[in-house]
Amino acid sequence: DEAGVSLISADGAYGPDFSYSILGNGLTSQAALHAEYGGVYPNLAKREHARSLVPMLELALGETYRGATPISEDEKSALARILEREPELLEHLTEFLKKFSKPDVDAIAVTHGPGLEPALWVGINFAKALSLLWQVPIVAVNHMEGHVVLPLMHDGKLSQFEFPLLSLLISGGHTELVLSESFGKYKILGETRDDAAGEAFDKVARMLGIPYPGGPKISALAAEARTRGVTSETPVHFTRPMLHDGYDFSFSGLKTAVRRVVEAHTPVSEEMKLVIAREFEDTVADVLISKTLRAAEEYGAEAIVVGGGVSANTFIRSELARKIVESGNDAQLLIPPPELATDNSIMIALAGYFHARDKDFIEPDALVARGNLRLED
Ligand code: KG4
Ligand code: ZN
């Protein structure tokens, strides 16, 4: 439910000589629009992406490339074909070409999955259109790779760390533990069998009458419960799902357990909401952290990345940091700044840069939305 366009400049191979700067960034979220559906509504998302992309591109380009892009009749008809299913985007792009000259870019990186295919297609078709107009190649980027790569960056450079790298990826659509023995290599150690961590936060929020995406609000309630030491008459406790079995996750039973407590206490008082939010967040944090630490031990991880929207969660961040130290593990913890933990295009541009450097381009005709794309693909 985010549409973003950013322009980055980067230099150097993967390693200490790599550097980058963000020249422009446009990001818009549809979260408020989806609030009434309690989640992302595919057709609405598609329409909003088509509306947002050109304004976000204009933000990313800023004042540097004001002018106009001359366009031939052939290009015009090619554009119309590419954006056949996105008439509004075609209209916006046509106006854009009257206002902006061809920017000095070497490659376009675009997310091709995983995600909702109708929404992915809008970005893909936009990338194809720009590739044609600007005569630059396209790199197809896995959304989850963006969530891994971003936390590796710090202050225009790559952080110094050693492999193996263990990534805990926690977003609205995915929950995965991923091992990398070298840059760009991913082995999925475990993943959720049902709901994703962020999805669980959002669904619990909904049960408590909190609009989508409720993750941050649940976390705020849990924090309040902790600082004020709020308790309930009947204690609330949730079983930690699959705590000791393997590296897969399951959050759907937890969701049901929360529903039962909510139903037993309806109408749920404000105090009870605090208690439920706290116990829920404690449960999710316990499961995520204990599996991460176990995997870090088993695979001898030198560094641990936490990425995806839920990595913005203050409690999970601080508990993980605390428990790494407490367990005597000396893995280095790499977490994104909270404002870049949730979806953005900077992470896609950065991940895309390394593919572009390897000339890992895709022919526009071969570029398709891959809803179930996995990091191992
Ligand atoms: O990575 P992301 O921006 O989008 C996907 O790729 O899905 O993750 C969004 C998810 C949502 O479920 C949202 O509720 C959750 O991240 N989230 C949080 C917090 N901030 C965002 N969950 C818990 N605590 C937070 N502070
Ligand atoms: Zn994401």
Side-chain angles (χ1 to χ4, degrees):
D1 50 348
E2 270 78 34
V5 181
S6 53
L7 183 64
I8 68 159
S9 157
D11 193 43
Y14 178 80
D17 294 334
F18 170 75
S19 66
Y20 71 92
S21 56
I22 297 158
L23 305 178
N25 183 33
L27 180 66
T28 167
S29 173
Q30 309 167 7
L33 266 175
H34 293 291
E36 62 177 297
Y37 298 97
V40 178
Y41 188 72
N43 282 329
L44 183 61
K46 176 180 151 63
R47 192 191 72 200
E48 287 306 309
H49 285 317
R51 279 184 189 165
S52 312
L53 285 174
V54 169
M56 292 308 106
L57 175 63
E58 295 189 1
L59 272 181
L61 295 178
E63 295 306 313
T64 317
Y65 300 102
R66 291 286 175 176
T69 311
I71 165 169
S72 69
E73 285 305 314
D74 280 357
E75 285 172 322
K76 227 182 240 174
S77 44
L79 263 193
R81 253 195 325 274
I82 295 171
L83 296 178
E84 188 173 12
R85 304 216 182 143
E86 266 78 53
E88 199 175 356
L89 184 52
L90 178 62
E91 217 173 281
H92 286 184
L93 192 56
T94 309
E95 287 309 304
F96 166 85
L97 294 174
K98 297 178 189 157
K99 296 186 286 181
F100 285 82
S101 57
K102 177 187 177 307
D104 177 23
V105 301
D106 299 309
I108 297 167
V110 66
T111 310
H112 65 143
L116 291 171
E117 291 193 355
L120 292 166
W121 269 116
V122 183
I124 287 172
N125 288 331
F126 190 48
K128 288 184 185 184
L130 294 177
S131 162
L132 172 96
L133 288 166
W134 297 343
Q135 290 296 302
V136 291
I138 302 177
V139 185
V141 179
N142 183 314
H143 177 86
M144 302 312 284
E145 184 171 40
H147 280 309
V148 175
V149 170
L150 188 108
L152 307 179
M153 304 290 163
H154 180 69
D155 232 7
K157 308 283 285 175
L158 263 165
S159 293
Q160 280 203 8
F161 67 92
E162 303 285 330
F163 289 95
L165 177 74
L166 177 70
S167 302
L168 171 67
L169 303 180
I170 37 181
S171 71
H174 293 83
T175 303
E176 295 171 351
L177 268 172
V178 180
L179 188 72
S180 300
E181 295 285 354
S182 63
F183 184 69
K185 296 271 179 283
Y186 305 103
K187 182 175 185 282
I188 299 177
L189 303 179
E191 60 200 316
T192 185
R193 297 188 180 174
D194 38 60
D195 294 353
E199 191 180 358
F201 268 93
D202 298 337
K203 286 181 174 168
V204 165
R206 200 174 177 200
M207 291 175 213
L208 298 179
I210 298 159
Y212 172 87
K217 185 70 201 293
I218 290 288
S219 185
L221 293 179
E224 188 185 337
R226 283 184 203 103
T227 28
R228 285 181 33 211
V230 180
T231 50
S232 55
E233 226 167 89
T234 33
V236 173
H237 176 79
F238 301 127
T239 306
R240 275 49 179 160
M242 297 182 68
L243 190 63
H244 304 289
D245 354 327
Y247 295 120
D248 276 354
F249 301 89
S250 166
F251 293 108
S252 140
L254 172 60
K255 179 182 66 185
T256 312
V258 174
R259 180 171 295 121
R260 283 208 197 96
V261 172
V262 169
E263 281 167 3
H265 292 84
T266 301
V268 186
S269 67
E270 292 308 310
E271 298 288 284
M272 196 61 188
K273 283 185 189 176
L274 298 179
V275 171
I276 293 171
R278 175 190 176 157
E279 176 62 11
F280 168 76
E281 191 177 56
D282 280 346
T283 306
V284 175
D286 276 352
V287 171
L288 294 175
I289 294 168
S290 98
K291 287 189 193 256
T292 304
L293 284 176
R294 190 148 47 76
E297 282 296 326
E298 181 177 344
Y299 294 94
E302 295 285 349
I304 299 174
V305 156
V306 189
V310 183
S311 71
N313 184 291
T314 346
F315 183 69
I316 294 172
R317 292 162 79 100
S318 62
E319 279 295 285
L320 181 59
R322 189 176 70 74
K323 287 189 177 164
I324 288 177
V325 174
E326 192 185 85
S327 72
N329 189 306
D330 53 8
Q332 181 184 349
L333 182 58
L334 300 159
I335 3 185
E339 68 279 10
L340 292 178
T342 44
D343 290 349
N344 61 81
S345 55
I346 293 170
M347 68 186 204
I348 302 304
L350 286 166
Y353 166 78
F354 294 102
H355 289 287
R357 214 172 177 279
D358 290 342
K359 305 256 183 298
D360 182 11
F361 299 122
I362 186 161
E363 280 304 314
D365 286 342
L367 179 58
V368 294
R370 298 177 61 189
N372 298 320
L373 184 70
R374 303 180 85 232
L375 261 175
E376 289 173 335
D377 293 349

